[in-house]
Amino acid sequence: FQPKRLAGQRVLITAGPTFEAIDPVRGITNHSSGKMGFAIARAAQEAGAQVTLVAGPVHLPTPAHVRRIDVQSALQMHDAVMPLAAAHDVFIATAAVADWRPVAAAEQKLKKDGSGCPPAIEMVENPDILAAVARLPQRPYCVGFAAESHDLLRHAQDKRARKQVPLLVGNLGPATFGQDTNALLLVDEHGHRELPQADKLTLARQLVAEIATRLTPPTR
Ligand code: C5P
C-alpha cells in the first residue's frame, strides 16, 4: 500500500517541446516527446495531487484525471503558466522550451526569390518560465530539469543557482528525448543523488516521492 503522498497538493507541470512559428507552414522546435512530463503528471495524480499539465505539441494521451492545457509557443506556455502558478503548491518544469523565437512570424509562406540568398530570420529570447515562477512572491516549490550533453552535474548545479530553484533534475541517460527509459540526477541544497536507469513512469514515481518528502515538514 502506497500512501497518497501528495494528497491535497496542487501540482503544475510543463511538458513537451515548444513550436516557434517562422511562417504559416514552418517553425523551430525540438525532439522533446513530453514522455517524462506526462509520466510525472500521472505519478503526481496517482499520489493524490490535483494536477494541471501545460503541454506543448506532443502525441500523447492525457493521463487520467489530469487537467491539460495545450499550447504551441513558449510565449503561450508562459501566458498559460503564470496566472496559475501562485495557486499551485509545486511547479515542475519538464518542458524543453525554445530559447529563442523569430521576432515575428511572416504572415505568408516565405518563398525562394531566385537570388540564392536565404531569408534572414531575426530572433529574440523567450522568457524563462521556470525562473519567472521561482521569482513570484507566492511561489510554489519549483523543480527544474536539465538536459546536457556534457558536465551534467556542474550544469545542473549552475542552473539550480541561476534559476533559484530548490531542486534541479538532470537527465543522465544519453539521448533521453523520445526514449522510454531514463536515469536522473537530483541536485538540491544537500548535494546530489542518482535515480538509476528505469522506465520513465518508475522514475516519475520516485521523483514524486522525493518531492513529497521535501514538502512535508518532519513530524518530530
Ligand atoms: O536554461 P535551460 O533551458 O537549460 O533550463 C532548463 C529548465 O528551465 C527546464 O526545467 C525548463 O523547463 C526550464 N525553462 C523554462 N523556460 C525557458 C527555458 C527553460 O521554463 N524559456
Side-chain angles (χ1 to χ4, degrees):
F1 170 74
Q2 282 285 323
K4 298 269 184 195
R5 298 178 217 246
L6 289 183
Q9 305 281 349
R10 293 153 303 177
V11 177
L12 179 63
I13 300 168
T14 63
T18 65
F19 179 89
E20 312 298 326
I22 292 173
D23 69 15
V25 296
R26 305 186 181 88
I28 299 166
T29 187
N30 61 68
H31 285 305
S32 168
S33 67
K35 284 179 185 171
M36 195 66 223
F38 274 58
I40 293 169
R42 174 173 166 185
Q45 195 281 328
E46 286 172 355
Q50 260 179 53
V51 179
T52 307
L53 177 59
V54 179
V58 295
H59 301 280
L60 292 172
T62 310
H65 312 297
V66 164
R67 171 164 73 134
R68 172 171 175 176
I69 300 169
D70 283 317
V71 298
Q72 295 276 319
S73 68
L75 278 184
Q76 288 169 357
M77 187 173 277
H78 175 270
D79 292 350
V81 164
M82 294 313 293
L84 297 177
H88 285 77
D89 303 292
V90 181
F91 176 55
I92 307 173
T94 70
V97 183
D99 290 319
W100 307 282
R101 67 178 181 276
V103 169
E107 276 176 27
Q108 294 184 354
K109 183 183 171 190
L110 300 176
K111 306 291 278 182
K112 284 182 281 191
D113 64 6
S115 70
C117 294
I121 299 173
E122 199 189 335
M123 308 275 275
V124 59
E125 198 168 308
N126 275 324
D128 189 316
I129 302 165
L130 175 59
V133 171
R135 279 194 304 265
L136 290 173
Q138 241 197 309
R139 63 180 162 274
Y141 182 86
C142 288
V143 182
F145 268 73
E148 302 290 340
S149 54
H150 62 287
D151 287 342
L152 180 64
L153 178 58
R154 189 168 56 76
H155 285 300
Q157 287 166 333
D158 286 354
K159 213 159 281 192
R160 180 178 172 273
R162 188 156 31 85
K163 304 201 185 210
Q164 298 268 296
V165 297
L167 180 61
L168 204 296
V169 181
N171 282 312
L172 270 173
T176 58
F177 275 11
Q179 300 295 307
D180 290 320
T181 66
N182 197 359
L184 300 178
L185 181 69
L186 273 49
V187 181
D188 68 6
E189 80 274 25
H190 300 301
H192 62 274
R193 66 170 290 222
E194 208 177 307
L195 300 181
Q197 184 89 14
D199 65 89
K200 287 183 176 176
L201 185 56
T202 300
L203 286 171
R205 288 176 173 146
Q206 292 171 350
L207 178 61
V208 159
E210 289 281 344
I211 292 170
T213 62
R214 289 162 168 83
L215 300 178
T216 317
T219 46
R220 278 181 297 124

